Amino acid sequence: MSDHIRITPSILNADFSRLDEEIARIASVSDFIHLDVMDNIFVPNFTFDFDAALKIIKSSPTPIDAHLMVADVDQIAIQYAEVGAASVTIHAEATSDISSTLKGIRSHGARAALAVKPSTSIESYSEFVDRVDMFLIMTVEPGFGGQKFMESMMDKVRTTKKLIGSRPIWLQVDGGISLETIEIAVEAGADTFVSGSAVFKAEDPAKMVIALRERAHSAKLHL
Ligand code: DX5
Ligand code: ZN
């Protein structure tokens, strides 16, 4: 797997009744499994409570990238790191103490990431650049899979890329990533790609992950 492009498929649109099998289908070709945790408060949808997420974290053969779309995220984010999520993403809009939450996540050996919704600017959070391992720029309104990619977010991706500079921080995009949109996101500077419905609606999800990676690589080569 490449050092420069990471594909982190979201299981939001997978078949929840046989999640182990769904994860097994893509595990060996994916860098991380992206787990969308929604509480029906921060976003108008519910996915997993902590116990259900914990089972997935413990049983997944591929490390878990936990995207927490929950209100008052500070304490629970640290718990996700404690139980073994490899990466924990908090929303800037849902935390009351960004620094100590990021620090708490890292203290358990997990990567700490900060996400912003489409209407939130990244400039307001530039001071945290030395405390994160990844920024997540949402390219849809969080809450549901299968929405249209917001190309208008590419300016924010470019701004974030500049902010990161030469630091080894990953830049993730999430929402509407498919074979049609991944190149645009690569060109703007993203290197880590969540893809939900494009992967799980494909006839062969693993092949789609590979195809997304190849397309991203070739876009990167042409930069
Ligand atoms: C949306 C989630 C995404 C979603 C992506 O709130 O954060 O991870 O599952 O799904 P697609 O790729 O279908 O937009
Ligand atoms: Zn997500």
Side-chain angles (χ1 to χ4, degrees), residues 24-62:
R25 291 170 89 186
I26 53 159
S28 68
V29 293
S30 305
D31 295 274
F32 293 82
I33 302 295
H34 182 85
L35 188 66
D36 288 303
V37 182
M38 306 185 186
D39 65 351
N40 208 14
I41 300 170
F42 182 69
V43 289
N45 193 6
F46 181 86
T47 51
F48 310 101
D49 62 14
F50 186 70
D51 287 347
L54 178 62
K55 281 195 190 115
I56 299 169
I57 292 167
K58 295 287 179 205
S59 64
S60 172
T62 303

Side-chain angles (χ1 to χ4, degrees), residues 35-213:
L35 188 66
D36 288 303
V37 182
M38 306 185 186
D39 65 351
N40 208 14
I41 300 170
F42 182 69
V43 289
N45 193 6
F46 181 86
T47 51
F48 310 101
D49 62 14
F50 186 70
D51 287 347
L54 178 62
K55 281 195 190 115
I56 299 169
I57 292 167
K58 295 287 179 205
S59 64
S60 172
T62 303
I64 295 292
D65 167 32
H67 176 195
L68 306 183
M69 287 162 277
V70 302
D72 298 325
V73 73
D74 299 305
Q75 276 193 357
I76 193 87
I78 298 169
Q79 287 169 24
Y80 270 87
E82 202 174 353
V83 299
S87 176
V88 179
T89 301
I90 59 168
H91 266 268
E93 306 87 356
T95 157
S96 44
D97 193 344
I98 298 185
S99 282
S100 59
T101 303
L102 293 171
K103 197 171 164 197
I105 294 169
R106 280 177 160 180
S107 76
H108 292 288
R111 299 177 60 86
L114 188 63
V116 287
K117 296 207 273 188
S119 56
T120 303
S121 83
I122 195 71
E123 283 91 344
S124 324
Y125 299 98
S126 55
E127 66 187 278
F128 301 104
V129 69
D130 288 312
R131 298 178 187 272
V132 299
D133 298 300
M134 181 169 81
F135 281 111
L136 165 53
I137 306 302
M138 290 304 298
T139 44
V140 297
E141 207 53 62
F144 300 93
Q147 303 181 76
K148 192 176 180 299
F149 175 74
M150 296 168 75
E151 196 172 339
S152 58
M153 291 299 118
M154 294 306 99
D155 275 347
K156 201 194 287 188
V157 174
R158 280 186 278 272
T159 302
T160 310
K161 179 77 179 162
K162 272 194 207 129
L163 171 67
I164 290 172
S166 59
R167 297 173 182 88
I169 297 173
W170 299 353
L171 179 45
Q172 187 177 49
V173 284
D174 181 3
I177 297 295
S178 68
L179 287 175
E180 285 70 47
T181 58
I182 197 165
E183 290 171 299
I184 301 168
V186 171
E187 284 158 13
D191 52 40
T192 305
F193 304 88
V194 180
S195 181
S197 40
V199 168
F200 280 99
K201 285 200 175 131
E203 203 174 310
D204 184 337
K207 267 195 189 154
M208 179 54 76
V209 174
I210 293 166
L212 285 165
R213 190 187 300 284

